């Protein structure tokens, strides 16, 4: 039987500990007195998972075993709130002004010197004729604007146009207004605040999986050289122990 000594007591080594699985990534940090674990990979492939036994999990993070995943970058899609299925009466010199993604804002005239009734399709066609990325579509009732980018480059902005502003008549909002996507985010877990050194003399292991790496058992007290100091393990020592795996 393979055993390792922990504070003068014997502990049976688990099979996956013998394999020596490694996290091999810088994932541990702190915010104030809270331990923070962050996957090095953005997007939905990003994962941090804790599995039983809980052992040191309650002490160093204050959570139950669980899995947290990252998020992919988002893309902006705007759906107007105005029902345009029957068309809309627009005043003379009606216009809107749109900025899509990183392109310059474009002023889009919708009527000339006389008021006019415009159909949903006519407005969509006017927008797409003015903006080369063809951002506009419709669902039979509303105008839909779609960004062609993702992440923080994805943006739909409504600006005050040159002419008679009909943004509210067509989209249901008043300019200026900006909608922006978000970048891909990594899986992240923030623990409870650690106000005092931790007693890890009996519970010192985390069963941790990061992204697609094999599961690893982290000895949170591995950086404590003096066995008599296992009752007062600092947050800095816990972080160093995780980073050492």
């Amino acid at each position: 039987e393979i055993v390792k000594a922990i504070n003068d007591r014997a502990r049976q080594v688990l099979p996956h500990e013998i394999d020596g699985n490694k996290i091999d990534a810088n994932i541990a940090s702190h915010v104030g007195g809270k331990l923070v674990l962050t996957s090095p990979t953005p997007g939905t492939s990003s994962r941090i998972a804790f599995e039983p036994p809980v052992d040191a999990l309650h002490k160093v993070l204050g959570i139950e075993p669980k899995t947290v995943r990252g998020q992919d970058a988002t893309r902006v899609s705007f759906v107007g709130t105005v029902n345009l299925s029957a068309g809309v009466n627009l005043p003379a010199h009606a216009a809107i002004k749109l900025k899509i993604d990183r392109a310059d804002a474009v002023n889009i005239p919708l009527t000339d010197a006389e008021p006019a009734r415009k159909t949903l399709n006519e407005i969509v066609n006017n927008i797409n004729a003015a903006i080369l990325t063809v951002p506009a579509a419709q669902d039979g009732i509303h105008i839909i604007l779609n960004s062609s980018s993702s992440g923080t480059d994805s943006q739909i902005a409504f600006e005050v146009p040159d002419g008679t502003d009909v943004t509210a008549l067509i989209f249901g909002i008043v300019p200026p207004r900006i909608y922006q996507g978000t970048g891909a985010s990594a899986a992240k877990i923030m623990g409870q605040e650690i106000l005092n050194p931790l007693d890890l003399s009996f519970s010192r292991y985390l069963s941790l999986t990061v992204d697609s790496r094999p599961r690893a058992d982290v000895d949170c007290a591995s950086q404590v050289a003096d066995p008599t100091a296992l009752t007062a393990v600092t947050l800095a020592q816990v972080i160093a122990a995780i980073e050492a795996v």
Side-chain angles (χ1 to χ4, degrees):
E1 182 180 45
I2 303 174
V3 298
K4 60 170 73 169
I6 300 178
N7 198 27
D8 298 328
R9 290 174 174 81
R11 177 184 184 277
Q12 184 172 345
V13 178
L14 302 175
H16 52 275
E17 291 177 29
I18 300 172
D19 294 339
N21 290 337
K22 300 289 186 181
I23 297 175
D24 194 27
N26 296 324
I27 66 166
S29 61
H30 70 91
V31 174
K34 298 179 180 179
L35 174 63
V36 180
L37 301 180
T38 307
S39 161
T41 308
T44 52
S45 61
S46 173
R47 181 172 72 109
I48 295 177
F50 293 99
E51 301 178 20
V54 295
D55 213 10
L57 186 58
H58 290 163
K59 292 190 175 183
V60 300
L61 284 166
I63 63 174
E64 296 296 328
K66 65 177 181 178
T67 298
V68 175
R69 294 186 179 275
Q71 298 292 326
D72 286 335
T74 61
R75 178 177 297 178
V76 177
S77 180
F78 177 88
V79 180
T81 61
V82 180
N83 187 336
L84 298 174
S85 58
V88 59
N89 291 321
L90 298 179
H93 304 295
I96 57 175
K97 191 173 185 178
L98 300 176
K99 183 180 186 301
I100 308 295
D101 300 332
R102 297 299 180 184
D104 293 335
V106 178
N107 197 76
I108 306 172
L110 297 175
T111 60
D112 296 321
E114 297 293 330
R117 186 170 186 81
K118 293 290 183 176
T119 67
L120 178 59
N121 276 334
E122 286 175 327
I123 298 172
V124 168
N125 290 337
N126 281 355
I127 295 172
N128 288 335
I131 301 177
L132 296 180
T133 56
V134 192
Q138 51 96 359
D139 60 5
I141 300 174
H142 312 100
I143 293 180
I144 303 169
L145 299 177
N146 294 301
S147 162
S148 59
S149 300
S150 61
T152 55
D153 285 340
S154 177
Q155 182 184 97
I156 295 176
F158 298 85
E159 299 186 4
V160 178
D162 301 326
T164 303
D165 182 9
V166 292
T167 308
L169 285 175
I170 293 173
F171 295 106
I173 60 170
V174 177
R177 189 77 64 90
I178 298 176
Y179 301 89
Q180 189 164 25
T182 57
S185 61
K188 184 175 183 178
I189 292 178
M190 179 179 291
Q192 63 187 353
E193 188 171 14
I194 299 175
L195 299 176
N196 301 300
L198 301 170
D199 182 355
L200 299 182
S201 54
F202 293 100
S203 301
R204 56 192 281 183
Y205 286 87
L206 293 176
S207 181
L208 173 62
T209 302
V210 178
D211 299 339
S212 59
R213 294 168 172 82
R215 186 180 71 177
D217 283 276
V218 180
D219 180 356
C220 294
S222 67
Q223 303 303 299
V224 180
D226 182 359
T228 64
L230 292 175
T231 57
V233 181
T234 66
L235 176 58
Q237 289 174 317
V238 172
I239 292 173
I242 296 172
E243 293 294 275
V245 176

